[in-house]
Amino acid sequence: MEHIRTPKVEQVRLLERFSNKSTSGTLHLTATHLIFVESNNAATTAAQEIWILHHHIASVEKLSLTTSGCPLVIQCRNFRVVHFVVQRERDCHDIYSSLLRLLRPVSYDELYAFSYNPKQNEQQREEGWQLIDLGAEFERMGVPCDRWQLTDVNRDYKICETYPRDLYVPITASKPIIVGSSKFRSKGRFPVLTYFYQEKKAAVCRCSQPLSGFSARCLEDESMLQAISKANHNSRFVYVMDTRPKLNAMANRAAGKGYENEDNYSNIRFQFVGIENIHVMRTSLQKLLEVVGSRFLSVNDYLLGLESCGWLRHVKAVVDAAIFLTKAVTVEGASVLVHCSDGWDRTAQVCSLGALLMDPYYRTIKGFMVLIEKDWISFGHKFADRCDQLDGDPKEVSPVFTQFLECVWQLTEQFPQAFEFSEWLLLQIHEHVHSCQYGNFLANNQRLREELQLGDRTHSLWAFLLREQQNYLNPAYCPTYADAHPVLEPSTLPCHFKFWRNMYHQFDRSMHPRQSVLKNVLTLKESNCQLEDTIKDLETVSTCIKSNQILFVSHTWLADVNASVAKCFNLANNSKTTVLYTQRHRQDTVDGSSTVYTYEMSM
Amino acid sequence: MEFAELIKTPRVDGVVLRRPFLPTVEGTLCLTGHHLILSSRQDNTEELWLLHANIDAIEKRFVGSLGTIIVKCKDLRVIQLDIPGMEECLNIASSIEVLSTLDSVSLMYPLFYRPMFQVIEDGWKSFLPEDAFKDLESMTEEWRLSDVNKDYSVCSSYPPLVAVPKDVDDDTLRKAAAFRHGGRFPVLSYYHKKNGMVMMRSGQPLTGTNGRRCKEDEKLINATLRAGKRGYIIDTRTVSVAQQAKARGGGFESEANYPQWRRIHKAIERSSILQESLIKLVEACNDQSHSMDRWLSKLEASNWQTHVKEILTSACLAAQCIDREGASVLVHGTEGTDSTLQVTSLAQIILDPACRTIQGFQALVEREWLQAGHPFQQRCSQSAYSNSKPRCEAPVFLLFLDCVWQILRQFPCSFQFSQHFLVLLFEHTYASQFGTFMGNSASERSKLNLSQKTVSLWSWVNRPQEVERLSNPLYEANCLVIWPSVAPQSLLLWEGVFLRWKRSSRCLDEAYDEMVHIIQYNKELQNKVNNLRRQLAQLETEEPLLQTP
């Protein structure tokens, strides 16, 4: 709180982003949020409130003084942009300097996750962290098996500190091979299993670039790839996908890194797929936001801007790579080793998207969480650096995960029945990757997370999302769709890649459809469940009456079954009725996936 | 029959039909006077019946003696026919070419078509101006129905009956007509019940370079203003285009002669530019290249979305003047038969909930496009593939439909119809078995006696099963004015038309069906609950022994 000089400023105007309208209200600054409360001049509608979490603020800008006051522009990581005009310059400066300090926490302890306290008991909190079990996930895939095993080489994070403890490798990969291979790979990230396609026993493995330079080789690393290849009898070779553009990979050779030389590795097929690096992606998204953020944008400038910022081109490149991976695995039955430079950005994107295309489980709500937990969180995507959680190097910030979410969205648009979740889940996850409200995405890797004791000190986002999963359901989802289409084959024609308005203009309401089909159908679907229950209740009552088991009926039945049951109970006592329909228990299963009703009938 | 001379080879066996995302069909190809038919003569296989009028262009290719004809349709579909035998292929190709470009109106299919369904309500009589005027009369007494154009002599593109201010006599109308392009004097387009403001439309005033004026014209439009009120003239052309029009005898209303009116210029392009835009757009959509940059730059270069935005913006402006400013509006461009109608009809979609129903939308198309003299036959004789030099072709009506679709996307629960209806109208304006969109004006249709000789599209559409197919399951009547967003980020490419044949729409269709199912199931459940409640209530009365407390 010591950073807050002025906790409250009145008569602040909030300018609408894409029109000339404005509203006035009061600005509050708390330890965690910046809050704007619209002054209620008209009693007709509820006053608008905007809550901005400090962690969401990417930048604060104080513009030069105007006649109406001092403008303050705040850009958020969830793409909200707010433009305040504060009457007095001193107030504006106070807010400005407080925010500058507040939005750059220097230690993890300052993050919201450690103070966030939903009304939950300790047991619930712990259960939340146990929802996702990656060991069980590998079992689901059919691993360990006769060709792949769990290795304990990284139990203490000694071989690779950015990998998880539990790693899966070919049975034939001995410890010396693993250790040797890890020494030949950038950051020690040696090839390990991330997805196993049971139908063809083909594996998707991931690693970082080899330290090959111009001529270096490593026999253990070569044996490692050989072992991966041997673990798959369907194919004589293993694909090695370098997700970088060839030029970048070649440049890396000068720094003693690089890519696999096909002459040294037997039975590999090497392939570049050309996804640009984090810096290109960061600049690209910045340009995109500049384009769509301009007022009075013409259609031509919009389309030219979309083209020149390259964002959709990059999104398509990631999807294209995932399709390549999927085809190699599901059609050819070949195993694939994916890497980029360090194997935590592009590699995470391609492996997780590929798995999403191959395995319907990842298209369910729970499965999608497992996928993120596995390919992103556990394998050390540097969320803290990429999402700028602490005051760090701006060059490390990059929207790699946002881009992954967008790729998923593009697929949900092409396959509206294949996903259990709607885009609201993607938006909510994006929101919380940046909010630092839950422990899941804090820090850069598992080892650090354990050090921070996140499991003991913070809450899990997944538990929160599962509890309110009703909101994230896709009403058009068809569970049997996966039977006919276990593997998704998206079109890669550019016209199928669209600007994701609901992400990048999430808070610019004026641009959204005024009525939402999704919301409407979702409500109807929920109402269908309730109506089904009501019908069951009414039918029970009706049978009871017909068989003279309940001797009382009143119109109140017709309005509210529960209230009537109570009334019935009373009356039945008076009139010596024999059978009573007394209680209905509602039980929600732990993950909220289904509701069970049981009826107690007493004689 | 004379068609026989044009068909050298009426039948070829062993023809293979290839269509994107559908299985190939092998069968017998037959040419009739109006159709290209391919039948596999097996059960369960779909036959292809293609109207020659739907064919926009064809291409021939030969590999050895196997010929291939690529048929490009006006509904933007492209199909391929592999025909064994060079001679047969050439004969078929030349017959299609001739049959698909027949100019003679008397040979058009609607004149030969006999309905296979029972006509419940004759669509030719569904939307008579007299009936529309009765609605108006119930709201206001300031207007009258004039038959000054009963023999189409005052304005050849107007219907015989038009609504004009009560205080203006037919003589004044005749004089005003002489001062307006094509005789299109200002007439009533829409009456806004909420505040009594009106929208009128006309052709441009013939002021010419020396600023001619016409007292009767001024009197006519001033008669629509309330005392002390100002009105707006929306000229759909830019100032410079309107200026240039003076040299050709046209022009715009000067402030000096129309002091009670404020003129606003918009920038809706002329029809030839729109046609070019359509051709470029369709080419971009058909491009098989996988380059994102190429797609976006082609989409941009087509300017299609720019036209959509400009038309929508103009319509919003007109609606805003009427609803927000409480002012009356006169809309015109040059002829008053294209951009003018786009603006007046879209403004009504925004303002008037009735236009968002299935019947109301038909009435709008009938009133603001067919009766208002949009030259459908000229505008829709060729579509995006045609190689011949365009004469008067332009996707003016298609752009209107696209704009309606954009509003529908933004207010998905406020329209009684789904996009299927819009797609259906697009198809029937370019090729149809119905006479509705034949001819260029009411007078041409009456000369051809179409209401006697052809079936109306509305007769087909208004059958219960078709109404159901075109209905929007999410519809809930919304009596409000609906203001669409015109930001480029809010405007989408109309995939239902432009990418319709470029992808397998199966998953999208199935998702739509699922949504329909959820909604219908909800209705069923509601009914069931109501029935059960009723039964319970009945049980209560049947048990006389029981007492309520």
Side-chain angles (χ1 to χ4, degrees):
Chain A
M1 291 298 279
E2 71 267 30
H3 308 303
I4 299 170
R5 290 194 216 164
T6 309
K8 183 177 168 189
V9 183
E10 282 176 349
Q11 291 191 307
V12 173
R13 273 194 310 128
L14 169 69
L15 307 185
E16 251 185 47
R17 200 175 167 203
F18 293 100
S19 74
N20 296 323
K21 286 180 215 152
S22 69
T23 45
S24 70
T26 311
L27 206 55
H28 302 266
L29 192 59
T30 75
T32 52
H33 288 85
L34 177 70
I35 307 160
F36 175 80
V37 182
E38 189 189 350
S39 19
N40 218 350
N41 37 17
T44 46
T45 48
Q48 179 200 6
E49 274 185 28
I50 297 178
W51 287 58
I52 299 171
L53 198 61
H54 297 326
H55 297 314
H56 269 145
I57 300 177
S59 74
V60 193
E61 214 184 333
K62 209 173 72 153
L63 306 181
S64 48
L65 199 67
T66 66
T67 45
S68 55
C70 189
L72 194 66
V73 180
I74 297 173
Q75 312 232 14
C76 300
R77 296 182 212 287
N78 53 10
F79 309 112
R80 186 201 280 276
V81 177
V82 281
H83 193 145
F84 294 118
V85 179
V86 184
Q87 275 194 335
R88 293 199 313 165
E89 215 226 330
R90 234 192 59 205
D91 290 337
C92 186
H93 186 78
D94 282 352
I95 299 263
Y96 173 72
S97 42
S98 303
L99 284 177
L100 274 193
R101 176 60 192 84
L102 287 164
L103 68 88
R104 295 259 174 272
V106 285
S107 81
Y108 283 111
D109 292 338
E110 288 177 53
L111 296 180
Y112 187 35
F114 295 102
S115 57
Y116 172 63
N117 187 14
K119 292 183 185 76
Q120 250 186 20
N121 61 35
E122 190 54 22
Q123 194 199 340
Q124 285 172 312
R125 202 189 57 75
E126 273 170 26
E127 278 171 8
W129 281 108
Q130 285 153 11
L131 276 171
I132 285 167
D133 175 358
L134 290 184
E137 168 57 13
F138 277 94
E139 254 171 59
R140 188 192 66 86
M141 294 178 206
V143 176
C145 60
D146 56 344
R147 292 169 207 177
W148 292 87
Q149 64 178 354
L150 176 67
T151 171
D152 59 1
V153 290
N154 206 39
R155 267 290 138 82
D156 307 313
Y157 298 113
K158 280 212 178 104
I159 305 284
C160 174
E161 57 177 25
T162 59
Y163 266 175
R165 290 177 190 271
D166 292 341
L167 294 168
Y168 297 83
V169 292
I171 274 192
T172 53
S174 64
K175 202 166 174 182
I177 289 181
I178 294 175
V179 174
S181 169
S182 79
K183 286 188 177 140
F184 189 62
R185 293 276 167 180
S186 179
K187 308 278 195 311
R189 295 171 67 92
F190 62 96
V192 294
L193 182 77
T194 179
Y195 180 69
F196 189 63
Y197 187 65
Q198 229 172 334
E199 202 183 310
K200 303 228 163 136
K201 308 271 183 232
V204 178
C205 298
R206 56 186 289 173
C207 62
S208 60
Q209 63 184 337
L211 304 175
S212 52
F214 290 101
S215 59
R217 55 188 290 189
C218 168
L219 291 176
E220 290 91 341
D221 194 60
E222 289 160 24
S223 310
M224 187 73 192
L225 267 68
Q226 183 79 357
I228 293 173
S229 180
K230 284 273 156 62
N232 179 352
H233 302 311
N234 274 322
S235 174
R236 284 182 297 103
F237 57 86
V238 51
Y239 278 103
V240 176
M241 267 177 88
D242 190 328
T243 55
R244 299 168 294 182
K246 189 173 182 184
L247 215 63
N248 299 23
M250 284 170 69
N252 262 302
R253 290 199 296 189
K257 299 165 186 172
Y259 52 93
E260 292 80 358
N261 182 340
E262 270 184 301
D263 300 337
N264 298 340
Y265 293 83
S266 45
N267 311 327
I268 70 162
R269 285 213 183 154
F270 188 84
Q271 177 82 36
F272 286 112
V273 292
I275 303 171
E276 298 289 349
N277 65 25
I278 58 166
H279 312 294
V280 174
M281 298 307 184
R282 177 180 57 242
T283 321
S284 171
L285 183 59
Q286 258 163 13
K287 277 193 198 155
L288 174 73
L289 295 176
E290 269 167 41
V291 169
V292 299
S294 55
R295 297 179 75 180
F296 312 116
L297 181 65
S298 77
V299 173
N300 289 18
D301 287 343
Y302 167 67
L303 291 172
L304 287 174
L306 271 190
E307 185 202 334
S308 69
C309 78
W311 181 254
L312 286 174
R313 188 178 70 227
H314 300 314
V315 167
K316 179 166 142 51
V318 176
V319 175
D320 283 342
I323 292 171
F324 178 89
L325 169 68
T326 305
K327 280 199 177 137
V329 172
T330 60
V331 180
E332 295 182 46
S335 291
V336 183
L337 174 64
V338 184
H339 73 72
C340 46
S341 297
D342 289 318
W344 50 41
D345 294 311
R346 291 169 268 203
T347 302
Q349 289 180 326
V350 174
C351 290
S352 53
L353 263 189
L356 193 76
L357 292 176
M358 283 184 253
D359 193 333
Y361 174 63
Y362 297 128
R363 296 172 223 142
T364 63
I365 292 184
K366 180 80 184 290
F368 190 60
M369 294 171 178
V370 169
L371 184 68
I372 292 174
E373 191 75 31
K374 174 170 71 73
D375 276 328
W376 292 86
I377 297 176
S378 90
F379 275 115
H381 173 68
K382 302 201 290 175
F383 278 106
D385 289 359
R386 298 292 179 259
C387 304
D388 206 14
Q389 289 169 356
L390 298 184
D391 196 9
D393 181 0
K395 285 214 166 62
E396 283 286 309
V397 180
S398 184
V400 176
F401 187 71
T402 307
Q403 192 169 51
F404 161 70
L405 292 178
E406 172 161 346
C407 292
V408 177
W409 176 77
Q410 302 282 0
L411 295 176
T412 62
E413 286 286 288
Q414 278 201 41
F415 302 98
Q417 289 195 283
F419 292 82
E420 191 192 6
F421 50 87
S422 69
E423 69 174 336
W424 289 345
L425 181 73
L426 303 175
L427 294 172
Q428 190 69 288
I429 291 174
H430 183 263
E431 178 87 1
H432 286 298
V433 163
H434 292 94
S435 73
C436 302
Q437 184 172 347
Y438 296 92
N440 309 62
F441 301 101
L442 299 195
N444 282 330
N445 53 57
Q446 291 294 56
R447 192 182 61 80
L448 285 170
R449 269 173 221 126
E450 284 172 21
E451 269 174 29
L452 288 169
Q453 294 171 297
L454 294 176
D456 301 327
R457 298 168 65 201
T458 68
H459 293 263
S460 165
L461 171 65
W462 306 137
F464 163 74
L465 293 178
L466 280 175
R467 244 193 328 278
E468 50 175 53
Q469 66 171 322
Q470 285 299 333
N471 300 340
Y472 308 119
L473 291 176
N474 164 18
Y477 173 58
C478 173
T480 53
Y481 185 85
D483 301 339
H485 312 267
V487 178
L488 298 184
E489 293 170 48
S491 160
T492 60
L493 281 177
C495 55
H496 293 124
F497 291 81
K498 293 173 279 186
F499 172 68
W500 192 5
R501 183 189 56 216
N502 288 0
M503 172 66 101
Y504 304 108
H505 286 300
Q506 202 184 146
F507 298 93
D508 304 316
R509 288 272 141 216
S510 67
M511 275 185 195
H512 292 232
R514 307 304 201 273
Q515 297 165 329
S516 158
V517 174
L518 178 60
K519 204 169 162 184
N520 262 290
V521 179
L522 208 54
T523 316
L524 283 177
K525 205 166 180 177
E526 262 175 54
S527 128
N528 285 355
C529 293
Q530 282 163 8
L531 286 171
E532 278 172 349
D533 287 344
T534 311
I535 287 172
K536 265 185 224 151
D537 286 348
L538 290 170
E539 276 170 348
T540 313
V541 171
S542 161
T543 337
C544 290
I545 294 167
K546 280 180 191 154
S547 55
N548 276 338
Q549 287 169 318
I550 294 180
L551 296 176
F552 166 72
V553 185
S554 129
H555 280 293
T556 48
W557 275 113
L558 319 174
D560 179 352
V561 173
N562 280 330
S564 312
V565 167
K567 231 177 194 178
C568 179
F569 187 80
N570 291 333
L571 198 88
N573 278 340
N574 299 339
S575 60
K576 295 165 193 156
T577 317
T578 47
V579 173
L580 276 179
Y581 162 98
T582 53
Q583 235 175 342
R584 192 180 77 161
H585 296 289
R586 185 187 156 117
Q587 283 178 339
D588 291 329
T589 47
V590 180
D591 64 359
S593 63
S594 66
T595 306
V596 181
Y597 292 106
T598 54
Y599 296 94
E600 264 179 30
M601 306 289 280
S602 64
M603 298 297 283
Chain B
M1 195 168 79
E2 41 208 314
F3 288 121
E5 297 157 25
L6 304 172
I7 305 170
K8 291 176 207 152
T9 305
R11 228 188 91 167
V12 188
D13 289 322
V15 173
V16 177
L17 165 70
R18 297 177 201 280
R19 292 169 293 181
F21 305 108
L22 290 170
T24 54
V25 182
E26 191 182 329
T28 304
L29 178 75
C30 298
L31 286 189
T32 72
H34 292 108
H35 284 96
L36 181 158
I37 303 158
L38 188 118
S39 166
S40 66
R41 305 202 169 182
Q42 278 160 11
D43 296 339
N44 305 328
T45 316
E46 193 198 355
E47 291 181 340
L48 173 78
W49 282 70
L50 190 65
L51 262 183
H52 293 315
N54 191 4
I55 297 173
D56 206 24
I58 61 167
E59 273 172 34
K60 299 171 288 237
R61 278 186 215 146
F62 291 95
V63 178
S65 68
L66 180 76
T68 293
I69 300 179
I70 299 186
V71 180
K72 299 179 174 181
C73 303
K74 289 177 185 163
D75 59 15
L76 307 182
R77 157 173 47 162
V78 177
I79 60 173
Q80 184 180 326
L81 296 165
D82 294 343
I83 299 170
M86 171 115 53
E87 196 191 328
E88 285 84 351
C89 185
L90 283 171
N91 284 346
I92 296 280
S94 68
S95 299
I96 296 177
E97 257 166 4
V98 177
L99 289 166
S100 62
T101 51
L102 288 178
D103 265 340
S104 165
V105 173
S106 62
L107 294 179
M108 288 179 126
Y109 184 53
L111 295 165
F112 296 80
Y113 171 74
R114 290 293 160 260
M116 306 287 280
F117 60 94
Q118 199 196 343
V119 176
I120 300 166
E121 185 194 330
D122 183 2
W124 287 112
K125 300 195 179 82
S126 296
F127 307 100
L128 299 174
E130 300 91 302
D131 296 338
F133 189 74
K134 273 181 204 134
D135 291 342
L136 180 69
E137 265 182 324
S138 69
M139 299 185 276
T140 172
E141 291 182 344
E142 293 164 12
W143 297 80
R144 69 184 181 93
L145 209 52
S146 162
D147 64 355
V148 66
N149 198 39
K150 60 178 179 287
D151 47 6
Y152 304 105
S153 59
V154 177
C155 171
S156 62
S157 61
Y158 270 172
L161 294 171
V162 288
V164 294
K166 197 159 221 166
D167 303 340
V168 177
D169 58 29
D170 284 356
D171 227 28
T172 312
L173 296 178
R174 279 189 200 97
K175 283 176 182 147
F179 181 65
R180 291 276 172 178
H181 193 118
R184 294 176 69 91
F185 56 91
V187 295
L188 181 76
S189 160
Y190 171 65
Y191 179 86
H192 197 43
K193 196 175 171 184
K194 193 166 122 192
N195 59 9
M197 291 302 130
V198 296
M199 179 160 59
M200 289 173 301
R201 52 178 158 74
S202 67
Q204 65 177 343
L206 302 174
T207 56
T209 38
N210 42 17
R212 216 159 64 90
R213 66 186 286 189
C214 169
K215 291 278 186 196
E216 288 78 7
D217 185 73
E218 292 158 27
K219 183 186 165 200
L220 169 55
I221 72 165
N222 287 339
T224 68
L225 293 177
R226 300 264 165 88
K229 283 272 197 177
R230 276 164 66 97
Y232 288 89
I233 295 172
I234 296 177
D235 191 325
T236 60
R237 307 161 295 179
T238 60
V239 182
S240 64
V241 172
Q243 284 285 2
Q244 287 158 18
K246 283 185 176 174
R248 290 187 299 274
F252 50 84
E253 298 81 355
S254 66
E255 283 87 6
N257 299 339
Y258 298 84
Q260 285 164 282
W261 295 83
R262 215 191 121 198
R263 208 176 63 247
I264 305 174
H265 289 273
K266 299 302 290 179
I268 303 180
E269 292 288 358
R270 287 197 53 105
S271 48
S272 56
I273 290 171
L274 301 182
Q275 179 69 5
E276 200 183 311
S277 173
L278 174 69
I279 291 169
K280 281 187 184 166
L281 174 71
V282 171
E283 203 215 308
C285 292
N286 286 345
D287 192 331
Q288 289 299 305
S289 143
H290 285 253
S291 153
M292 181 60 73
D293 290 0
R294 191 178 152 114
W295 156 247
L296 287 171
S297 68
K298 280 190 148 189
L299 184 61
E300 186 268 335
S302 79
N303 276 327
W304 183 265
Q305 297 291 83
T306 303
H307 300 315
V308 169
K309 182 178 156 83
E310 196 56 47
I311 294 165
L312 268 178
T313 312
S314 308
C316 287
L317 175 73
Q320 205 174 351
C321 291
I322 294 169
D323 188 69
R324 296 272 170 93
E325 305 279 320
S328 286
V329 172
L330 168 67
V331 184
H332 70 73
T334 304
E335 293 93 345
T337 53
D338 296 298
S339 58
T340 304
L341 306 182
Q342 289 172 328
V343 173
T344 56
S345 55
L346 281 169
Q348 292 179 55
I349 295 273
I350 294 169
L351 293 170
D352 185 3
C355 294
R356 300 173 218 142
T357 65
I358 294 181
Q359 279 275 336
F361 192 70
Q362 292 170 38
L364 181 76
V365 170
E366 185 71 36
R367 203 170 66 229
E368 287 300 302
W369 291 89
L370 290 160
Q371 298 289 330
H374 176 66
F376 276 102
Q377 194 157 320
Q378 287 179 1
R379 295 288 180 252
C380 300
S381 71
Q382 287 172 19
S383 168
Y385 296 121
S386 174
N387 302 317
S388 52
K389 200 167 169 283
R391 290 157 297 181
C392 308
E393 290 76 8
V396 176
F397 188 69
L398 175 58
L399 269 163
F400 159 70
L401 294 175
D402 194 329
C403 292
V404 176
W405 179 78
Q406 305 285 352
I407 307 178
L408 171 63
R409 280 286 304 221
Q410 296 187 26
F411 295 88
C413 308
S414 301
F415 287 78
Q416 196 189 12
F417 51 87
S418 67
Q419 72 153 332
H420 297 325
F421 191 25
L422 302 175
V423 175
L424 177 120
L425 288 176
F426 159 62
E427 290 172 340
H428 283 277
T429 49
Y430 279 91
S432 178
Q433 64 270 45
F434 304 108
T436 302
F437 293 107
M438 282 176 69
N440 291 307
S441 62
S443 95
E444 284 189 30
R445 277 187 289 274
S446 119
K447 267 177 216 140
L448 290 167
N449 203 8
L450 294 181
S451 62
Q452 299 303 313
K453 289 185 175 168
T454 71
V455 181
S456 162
L457 173 63
W458 312 136
S459 305
W460 163 264
V461 165
N462 287 326
R463 294 165 320 131
Q465 55 273 55
E466 197 59 16
V467 166
E468 197 187 318
R469 192 182 75 84
L470 302 174
S471 288
N472 172 11
L474 286 169
Y475 177 60
E476 267 175 49
N478 171 3
C479 60
L480 300 173
V481 175
I482 54 176
W483 300 104
S485 160
V486 293
Q489 295 96 313
S490 304
L491 303 178
L492 303 170
L493 178 68
W494 190 8
E495 299 182 11
V497 165
F498 299 111
L499 301 179
R500 184 177 175 192
W501 315 102
K502 299 293 149 237
R503 55 161 189 206
S504 162
S505 63
R506 233 183 68 212
C507 3
L508 299 184
D509 291 346
E510 282 169 2
Y512 182 80
D513 291 346
E514 177 61 29
M515 183 189 85
V516 174
H517 168 76
I518 292 170
I519 297 163
Q520 275 167 354
Y521 185 51
N522 187 268
K523 282 180 191 145
E524 276 167 34
L525 289 176
Q526 295 271 16
N527 285 337
K528 203 165 171 191
V529 166
N530 291 340
N531 281 337
L532 278 167
R533 285 186 174 150
R534 213 169 302 132
Q535 280 173 19
L536 280 174
Q538 241 163 24
L539 278 173
E540 184 193 23
T541 51
E542 282 166 13
E543 295 276 353
L545 289 174
L546 299 178
Q547 312 253 312
T548 44

